[in-house]
Amino acid sequence: MRRLGLISYSLYLWHWPVVVFLSPEVTGLQGAVLTTARLVVSLVLAAGTYRFIEQPIRRQGFGALFQRRVNPSRLTAGLSIPLVIFGALALPYTSPQTPSAGAASPAESAQLPQPTYTPLATPWRAVLLGNSVPASLLSALDGAAYPDLTMSGVVNFGCDPFAGKKVLDGGKLQAETAECAAWKKAWPGEIKKARPDVVAFMIPQTLVSDFNVGGRRLAFGTPAHDQFIADSMTQVRAATLATGTRTFAVMTLACHDVPDFGVSEEQSRVNDIDRVRRVNSVVRSWAGRNDVPVIDTFGALCSGGFKPNVNGVPLYRDGLHFTDTSAPLIWRWLMPQLQTAVREKTPS
C-alpha cells in the first residue's frame, strides 16, 4: 500500500489517458478484462513516471532530467514494458472491431427502441448543448439519415453553460480556463447563429458534485444544491429562448461507469447512480413547473441500473462518452422525440 501511495499522483495523471486510449473499440475487450488491462498499463506507466521523473526532480530539481546520464538498457526496458503489455492486448485486435448486435447478454445490455425515422414535411434545425458527452454523439451523427434536419452542436469540453465552480477532491475549486470563461459568454450567440427550432440541453455529470457559487459551498443533496440545479436550468433556458429559439428541452443525466482505480472521489461521484437519480429528480420537477419537454436518457439506458452495452454494442468508450457504434443508436431513439418537441411545443 505504501508503494501504491508513492505513485498515486502519477497514477491519477495516467489513468484517464489510458482509459480513453484503451477503449472497447480499440482493444475489443470489455468488462473486468478491460478494466484489468487498463489498471496494469496505468500502474506500469505511473511507476515509470515516479522512478524516472518524479524522484530525480525531487532530489535534484528539474535540471536532473537534462543533466542525468541515461542508462540505455534501463531506458529501453522501461519503455518496452508498457509497449509489450499494450501489444499483447492489442495483437488480436489489430483492426478495431464492432461487436455484432446481440453479442452481449440481455442482463448486460440496455434495450433502446429504434423507431423508423420519418422526415418532417418542413426542414427543421436543432442544437445539442453541453459538454464533451454530447460532443461524442455529434461526432457520430449520420446526417444523411435525417435529410430534413440541420443539426448543430454548441459544446465545450469540460465547461458548463451556467455559473458556479465545481468543488474538486480536497475542497479545491475547479479552475476556469480562459477558453471556458469565453465560451460561457459566447454560447448564446452560437445558438442564435444556428437559428434552431429546438435546443436540447444534455444535463452534465458535473452536477453530482458540490458547487461553489459566490464564495458559498453548496453541498450535494441539500436544498441549497437542489435550488442551484434549478436556478442553473432557469439560467440556461432563459439565455436560449432569448436567442429566438422556439423550444428548449432537457435530456436527463445518464448513468456512467468511469474507471477510477480508487484515485479520484470525483469519478466515484459520477458513477454514483443515486446521485444521478437525485439530479434527474430535481431537473424533472423544474421542467414540470416550467413546461419544458424532458427527454429521458436515464430511463432509456439506466432503468435497471448501469449496463455496459446498448442493443448488444459497447455503450461508452471510457465509461462516459458514447462509442461510434452506440451513438447512432442514441440518435435513432432521440430524433423522433426532438421532432415531437418541435411539433407540439408552442412558443414560450
Side-chain angles (χ1 to χ4, degrees), residues 25 137 310 313-316 322-331:
E25 293 177 308
L137 279 179
V310 58
V313 301
L315 177 58
Y316 300 123
F322 297 103
T323 66
D324 289 342
T325 50
S326 67
L329 301 175
I330 304 295
W331 281 119

Side-chain angles (χ1 to χ4, degrees), residues 301-321:
L301 298 175
C302 316
S303 59
F306 176 79
K307 293 181 175 63
N309 303 285
V310 58
N311 294 16
V313 301
L315 177 58
Y316 300 123
R317 65 172 180 260
D318 53 9
L320 183 66
H321 300 94

Side-chain angles (χ1 to χ4, degrees), residues 17-45:
V18 169
V19 165
V20 172
F21 186 65
L22 296 183
S23 66
E25 293 177 308
V26 170
T27 66
L29 304 175
Q30 294 189 57
V33 176
L34 179 58
T35 299
T36 301
R38 287 166 164 171
L39 177 59
V40 170
V41 173
S42 297
L43 286 171
V44 170
L45 291 172

